[in-house]
PDB file of all heavy atoms in Angstrom:
ATOM      1  N   VAL A 222      -7.361  -1.823   9.573  1.00 98.00           N
ATOM      2  CA  VAL A 222      -8.780  -1.878   9.196  1.00 98.00           C
ATOM      3  C   VAL A 222      -9.296  -0.490   8.848  1.00 98.00           C
ATOM      4  O   VAL A 222     -10.069  -0.315   7.891  1.00 98.00           O
ATOM      5  CB  VAL A 222      -9.615  -2.500  10.332  1.00 98.00           C
ATOM      6  CG1 VAL A 222     -11.106  -2.407  10.021  1.00 98.00           C
ATOM      7  CG2 VAL A 222      -9.230  -3.957  10.538  1.00 98.00           C
ATOM      8  N   ALA A 223      -8.867   0.524   9.591  1.00 98.00           N
ATOM      9  CA  ALA A 223      -9.321   1.885   9.308  1.00 98.00           C
ATOM     10  C   ALA A 223      -8.858   2.347   7.930  1.00 98.00           C
ATOM     11  O   ALA A 223      -9.628   2.967   7.176  1.00 98.00           O
ATOM     12  CB  ALA A 223      -8.809   2.841  10.383  1.00 98.00           C
ATOM     13  N   ILE A 224      -7.615   2.057   7.566  1.00 98.00           N
ATOM     14  CA  ILE A 224      -7.137   2.421   6.232  1.00 98.00           C
ATOM     15  C   ILE A 224      -7.922   1.681   5.165  1.00 98.00           C
ATOM     16  O   ILE A 224      -8.316   2.261   4.138  1.00 98.00           O
ATOM     17  CB  ILE A 224      -5.624   2.155   6.106  1.00 98.00           C
ATOM     18  CG1 ILE A 224      -4.844   3.199   6.913  1.00 98.00           C
ATOM     19  CG2 ILE A 224      -5.178   2.169   4.645  1.00 98.00           C
ATOM     20  CD1 ILE A 224      -3.340   3.049   6.869  1.00 98.00           C
ATOM     21  N   LEU A 225      -8.172   0.401   5.397  1.00 98.00           N
ATOM     22  CA  LEU A 225      -8.974  -0.368   4.435  1.00 98.00           C
ATOM     23  C   LEU A 225     -10.358   0.250   4.289  1.00 98.00           C
ATOM     24  O   LEU A 225     -10.903   0.322   3.175  1.00 98.00           O
ATOM     25  CB  LEU A 225      -9.078  -1.817   4.916  1.00 98.00           C
ATOM     26  CG  LEU A 225      -9.665  -2.838   3.947  1.00 98.00           C
ATOM     27  CD1 LEU A 225      -8.753  -3.011   2.737  1.00 98.00           C
ATOM     28  CD2 LEU A 225      -9.874  -4.179   4.650  1.00 98.00           C
ATOM     29  N   GLY A 226     -10.918   0.740   5.388  1.00 97.00           N
ATOM     30  CA  GLY A 226     -12.239   1.356   5.336  1.00 97.00           C
ATOM     31  C   GLY A 226     -12.244   2.673   4.602  1.00 97.00           C
ATOM     32  O   GLY A 226     -13.131   2.940   3.767  1.00 97.00           O
ATOM     33  N   VAL A 227     -11.266   3.522   4.873  1.00 97.00           N
ATOM     34  CA  VAL A 227     -11.210   4.836   4.236  1.00 97.00           C
ATOM     35  C   VAL A 227     -10.857   4.715   2.762  1.00 97.00           C
ATOM     36  O   VAL A 227     -11.391   5.446   1.913  1.00 97.00           O
ATOM     37  CB  VAL A 227     -10.199   5.743   4.970  1.00 97.00           C
ATOM     38  CG1 VAL A 227     -10.001   7.055   4.222  1.00 97.00           C
ATOM     39  CG2 VAL A 227     -10.665   6.022   6.404  1.00 97.00           C
ATOM     40  N   GLU A 228      -9.956   3.789   2.431  1.00 97.00           N
ATOM     41  CA  GLU A 228      -9.480   3.674   1.050  1.00 97.00           C
ATOM     42  C   GLU A 228     -10.497   3.036   0.109  1.00 97.00           C
ATOM     43  O   GLU A 228     -10.664   3.492  -1.027  1.00 97.00           O
ATOM     44  CB  GLU A 228      -8.173   2.876   1.013  1.00 97.00           C
ATOM     45  CG  GLU A 228      -6.966   3.597   1.581  1.00 97.00           C
ATOM     46  CD  GLU A 228      -6.565   4.810   0.761  1.00 97.00           C
ATOM     47  OE1 GLU A 228      -6.891   4.856  -0.444  1.00 97.00           O
ATOM     48  OE2 GLU A 228      -5.930   5.716   1.336  1.00 97.00           O
ATOM     49  N   SER A 229     -11.139   1.963   0.553  1.00 96.00           N
ATOM     50  CA  SER A 229     -11.996   1.228  -0.387  1.00 96.00           C
ATOM     51  C   SER A 229     -13.272   0.697   0.252  1.00 96.00           C
ATOM     52  O   SER A 229     -13.838  -0.283  -0.241  1.00 96.00           O
ATOM     53  CB  SER A 229     -11.211   0.054  -0.997  1.00 96.00           C
ATOM     54  OG  SER A 229     -10.849  -0.888   0.018  1.00 96.00           O
ATOM     55  N   ASN A 230     -13.723   1.373   1.314  1.00 96.00           N
ATOM     56  CA  ASN A 230     -14.922   0.910   2.025  1.00 96.00           C
ATOM     57  C   ASN A 230     -14.802  -0.571   2.363  1.00 96.00           C
ATOM     58  O   ASN A 230     -15.684  -1.375   2.071  1.00 96.00           O
ATOM     59  CB  ASN A 230     -16.190   1.182   1.205  1.00 96.00           C
ATOM     60  CG  ASN A 230     -17.446   1.051   2.045  1.00 96.00           C
ATOM     61  OD1 ASN A 230     -17.427   1.234   3.258  1.00 96.00           O
ATOM     62  ND2 ASN A 230     -18.558   0.711   1.405  1.00 96.00           N
ATOM     63  N   PHE A 231     -13.662  -0.916   2.975  1.00 97.00           N
ATOM     64  CA  PHE A 231     -13.363  -2.283   3.413  1.00 97.00           C
ATOM     65  C   PHE A 231     -13.328  -3.270   2.251  1.00 97.00           C
ATOM     66  O   PHE A 231     -13.723  -4.425   2.375  1.00 97.00           O
ATOM     67  CB  PHE A 231     -14.369  -2.733   4.480  1.00 97.00           C
ATOM     68  CG  PHE A 231     -14.461  -1.788   5.651  1.00 97.00           C
ATOM     69  CD1 PHE A 231     -15.555  -0.943   5.788  1.00 97.00           C
ATOM     70  CD2 PHE A 231     -13.444  -1.707   6.590  1.00 97.00           C
ATOM     71  CE1 PHE A 231     -15.638  -0.053   6.854  1.00 97.00           C
ATOM     72  CE2 PHE A 231     -13.524  -0.810   7.645  1.00 97.00           C
ATOM     73  CZ  PHE A 231     -14.616   0.013   7.792  1.00 97.00           C
ATOM     74  N   GLY A 232     -12.813  -2.783   1.128  1.00 94.00           N
ATOM     75  CA  GLY A 232     -12.605  -3.653  -0.018  1.00 94.00           C
ATOM     76  C   GLY A 232     -13.744  -3.731  -0.997  1.00 94.00           C
ATOM     77  O   GLY A 232     -13.637  -4.431  -2.015  1.00 94.00           O
ATOM     78  N   THR A 233     -14.830  -3.004  -0.751  1.00 94.00           N
ATOM     79  CA  THR A 233     -16.004  -3.111  -1.627  1.00 94.00           C
ATOM     80  C   THR A 233     -16.044  -2.048  -2.718  1.00 94.00           C
ATOM     81  O   THR A 233     -16.877  -2.127  -3.616  1.00 94.00           O
ATOM     82  CB  THR A 233     -17.302  -3.011  -0.798  1.00 94.00           C
ATOM     83  OG1 THR A 233     -17.381  -1.712  -0.200  1.00 94.00           O
ATOM     84  CG2 THR A 233     -17.328  -4.076   0.285  1.00 94.00           C
ATOM     85  N   ALA A 234     -15.163  -1.051  -2.643  1.00 94.00           N
ATOM     86  CA  ALA A 234     -15.194   0.045  -3.619  1.00 94.00           C
ATOM     87  C   ALA A 234     -13.778   0.368  -4.062  1.00 94.00           C
ATOM     88  O   ALA A 234     -13.244   1.446  -3.793  1.00 94.00           O
ATOM     89  CB  ALA A 234     -15.866   1.274  -3.010  1.00 94.00           C
ATOM     90  N   ALA A 235     -13.176  -0.593  -4.761  1.00 93.00           N
ATOM     91  CA  ALA A 235     -11.784  -0.435  -5.176  1.00 93.00           C
ATOM     92  C   ALA A 235     -11.638   0.268  -6.516  1.00 93.00           C
ATOM     93  O   ALA A 235     -10.534   0.631  -6.912  1.00 93.00           O
ATOM     94  CB  ALA A 235     -11.091  -1.796  -5.234  1.00 93.00           C
ATOM     95  N   GLY A 236     -12.728   0.474  -7.229  1.00 92.00           N
ATOM     96  CA  GLY A 236     -12.664   1.164  -8.521  1.00 92.00           C
ATOM     97  C   GLY A 236     -12.537   0.199  -9.677  1.00 92.00           C
ATOM     98  O   GLY A 236     -11.923  -0.868  -9.544  1.00 92.00           O
ATOM     99  N   GLY A 237     -13.096   0.585 -10.815  1.00 93.00           N
ATOM    100  CA  GLY A 237     -13.078  -0.294 -11.978  1.00 93.00           C
ATOM    101  C   GLY A 237     -12.430   0.296 -13.203  1.00 93.00           C
ATOM    102  O   GLY A 237     -12.571  -0.241 -14.302  1.00 93.00           O
ATOM    103  N   SER A 238     -11.681   1.383 -13.044  1.00 94.00           N
ATOM    104  CA  SER A 238     -11.026   2.024 -14.190  1.00 94.00           C
ATOM    105  C   SER A 238      -9.807   1.220 -14.632  1.00 94.00           C
ATOM    106  O   SER A 238      -9.128   0.587 -13.812  1.00 94.00           O
ATOM    107  CB  SER A 238     -10.600   3.445 -13.835  1.00 94.00           C
ATOM    108  OG  SER A 238     -11.705   4.254 -13.508  1.00 94.00           O
ATOM    109  N   ASP A 239      -9.517   1.266 -15.917  1.00 96.00           N
ATOM    110  CA  ASP A 239      -8.322   0.627 -16.472  1.00 96.00           C
ATOM    111  C   ASP A 239      -7.103   1.432 -16.016  1.00 96.00           C
ATOM    112  O   ASP A 239      -6.894   2.566 -16.448  1.00 96.00           O
ATOM    113  CB  ASP A 239      -8.425   0.618 -18.000  1.00 96.00           C
ATOM    114  CG  ASP A 239      -7.225  -0.024 -18.680  1.00 96.00           C
ATOM    115  OD1 ASP A 239      -6.186  -0.230 -18.023  1.00 96.00           O
ATOM    116  OD2 ASP A 239      -7.320  -0.303 -19.887  1.00 96.00           O
ATOM    117  N   ALA A 240      -6.296   0.850 -15.130  1.00 96.00           N
ATOM    118  CA  ALA A 240      -5.180   1.592 -14.529  1.00 96.00           C
ATOM    119  C   ALA A 240      -4.180   2.057 -15.576  1.00 96.00           C
ATOM    120  O   ALA A 240      -3.693   3.198 -15.516  1.00 96.00           O
ATOM    121  CB  ALA A 240      -4.490   0.735 -13.474  1.00 96.00           C
ATOM    122  N   LEU A 241      -3.843   1.208 -16.553  1.00 97.00           N
ATOM    123  CA  LEU A 241      -2.883   1.615 -17.580  1.00 97.00           C
ATOM    124  C   LEU A 241      -3.407   2.798 -18.388  1.00 97.00           C
ATOM    125  O   LEU A 241      -2.678   3.746 -18.683  1.00 97.00           O
ATOM    126  CB  LEU A 241      -2.572   0.448 -18.510  1.00 97.00           C
ATOM    127  CG  LEU A 241      -1.542  -0.585 -18.030  1.00 97.00           C
ATOM    128  CD1 LEU A 241      -1.320  -1.623 -19.114  1.00 97.00           C
ATOM    129  CD2 LEU A 241      -0.221   0.085 -17.674  1.00 97.00           C
ATOM    130  N   ARG A 242      -4.672   2.733 -18.751  1.00 96.00           N
ATOM    131  CA  ARG A 242      -5.265   3.820 -19.536  1.00 96.00           C
ATOM    132  C   ARG A 242      -5.281   5.125 -18.735  1.00 96.00           C
ATOM    133  O   ARG A 242      -4.944   6.189 -19.250  1.00 96.00           O
ATOM    134  CB  ARG A 242      -6.680   3.444 -19.958  1.00 96.00           C
ATOM    135  CG  ARG A 242      -7.327   4.448 -20.898  1.00 96.00           C
ATOM    136  CD  ARG A 242      -8.771   4.088 -21.171  1.00 96.00           C
ATOM    137  NE  ARG A 242      -9.351   4.978 -22.178  1.00 96.00           N
ATOM    138  CZ  ARG A 242     -10.656   5.141 -22.352  1.00 96.00           C
ATOM    139  NH1 ARG A 242     -11.518   4.490 -21.590  1.00 96.00           N
ATOM    140  NH2 ARG A 242     -11.096   5.968 -23.300  1.00 96.00           N
ATOM    141  N   VAL A 243      -5.656   5.015 -17.459  1.00 95.00           N
ATOM    142  CA  VAL A 243      -5.711   6.198 -16.597  1.00 95.00           C
ATOM    143  C   VAL A 243      -4.328   6.812 -16.436  1.00 95.00           C
ATOM    144  O   VAL A 243      -4.145   8.024 -16.586  1.00 95.00           O
ATOM    145  CB  VAL A 243      -6.298   5.817 -15.225  1.00 95.00           C
ATOM    146  CG1 VAL A 243      -6.001   6.889 -14.189  1.00 95.00           C
ATOM    147  CG2 VAL A 243      -7.803   5.604 -15.337  1.00 95.00           C
ATOM    148  N   LEU A 244      -3.336   5.972 -16.127  1.00 96.00           N
ATOM    149  CA  LEU A 244      -1.987   6.487 -15.887  1.00 96.00           C
ATOM    150  C   LEU A 244      -1.398   7.109 -17.144  1.00 96.00           C
ATOM    151  O   LEU A 244      -0.768   8.175 -17.087  1.00 96.00           O
ATOM    152  CB  LEU A 244      -1.089   5.351 -15.382  1.00 96.00           C
ATOM    153  CG  LEU A 244      -1.439   4.806 -13.999  1.00 96.00           C
ATOM    154  CD1 LEU A 244      -0.671   3.518 -13.718  1.00 96.00           C
ATOM    155  CD2 LEU A 244      -1.161   5.842 -12.919  1.00 96.00           C
ATOM    156  N   ALA A 245      -1.606   6.467 -18.282  1.00 95.00           N
ATOM    157  CA  ALA A 245      -1.100   7.028 -19.535  1.00 95.00           C
ATOM    158  C   ALA A 245      -1.794   8.342 -19.858  1.00 95.00           C
ATOM    159  O   ALA A 245      -1.157   9.297 -20.322  1.00 95.00           O
ATOM    160  CB  ALA A 245      -1.297   6.024 -20.670  1.00 95.00           C
ATOM    161  N   SER A 246      -3.093   8.416 -19.607  1.00 94.00           N
ATOM    162  CA  SER A 246      -3.840   9.641 -19.887  1.00 94.00           C
ATOM    163  C   SER A 246      -3.377  10.787 -18.986  1.00 94.00           C
ATOM    164  O   SER A 246      -3.234  11.926 -19.436  1.00 94.00           O
ATOM    165  CB  SER A 246      -5.340   9.406 -19.705  1.00 94.00           C
ATOM    166  OG  SER A 246      -5.816   8.416 -20.590  1.00 94.00           O
ATOM    167  N   LEU A 247      -3.143  10.496 -17.703  1.00 93.00           N
ATOM    168  CA  LEU A 247      -2.672  11.529 -16.782  1.00 93.00           C
ATOM    169  C   LEU A 247      -1.280  12.023 -17.179  1.00 93.00           C
ATOM    170  O   LEU A 247      -0.985  13.220 -17.106  1.00 93.00           O
ATOM    171  CB  LEU A 247      -2.666  10.986 -15.349  1.00 93.00           C
ATOM    172  CG  LEU A 247      -4.044  10.827 -14.709  1.00 93.00           C
ATOM    173  CD1 LEU A 247      -3.952   9.995 -13.432  1.00 93.00           C
ATOM    174  CD2 LEU A 247      -4.671  12.186 -14.406  1.00 93.00           C
ATOM    175  N   ALA A 248      -0.429  11.100 -17.599  1.00 92.00           N
ATOM    176  CA  ALA A 248       0.900  11.506 -18.058  1.00 92.00           C
ATOM    177  C   ALA A 248       0.804  12.322 -19.336  1.00 92.00           C
ATOM    178  O   ALA A 248       1.494  13.337 -19.500  1.00 92.00           O
ATOM    179  CB  ALA A 248       1.763  10.268 -18.281  1.00 92.00           C
ATOM    180  N   TRP A 249      -0.057  11.921 -20.236  1.00 91.00           N
ATOM    181  CA  TRP A 249      -0.241  12.603 -21.523  1.00 91.00           C
ATOM    182  C   TRP A 249      -0.789  14.014 -21.330  1.00 91.00           C
ATOM    183  O   TRP A 249      -0.385  14.955 -22.018  1.00 91.00           O
ATOM    184  CB  TRP A 249      -1.176  11.776 -22.388  1.00 91.00           C
ATOM    185  CG  TRP A 249      -1.670  12.425 -23.647  1.00 91.00           C
ATOM    186  CD1 TRP A 249      -2.968  12.704 -23.964  1.00 91.00           C
ATOM    187  CD2 TRP A 249      -0.895  12.840 -24.776  1.00 91.00           C
ATOM    188  NE1 TRP A 249      -3.057  13.275 -25.205  1.00 91.00           N
ATOM    189  CE2 TRP A 249      -1.792  13.375 -25.729  1.00 91.00           C
ATOM    190  CE3 TRP A 249       0.455  12.823 -25.062  1.00 91.00           C
ATOM    191  CZ2 TRP A 249      -1.361  13.873 -26.958  1.00 91.00           C
ATOM    192  CZ3 TRP A 249       0.900  13.324 -26.284  1.00 91.00           C
ATOM    193  CH2 TRP A 249      -0.013  13.842 -27.210  1.00 91.00           C
TER     194      TRP A 249
END
């Protein structure tokens, strides 16, 4: 539960970025 809280505020803040776009951009 603590990890869930620290990582994503217990699942409420998981992020909305396009993962493929982000990963490709970071690699690029």
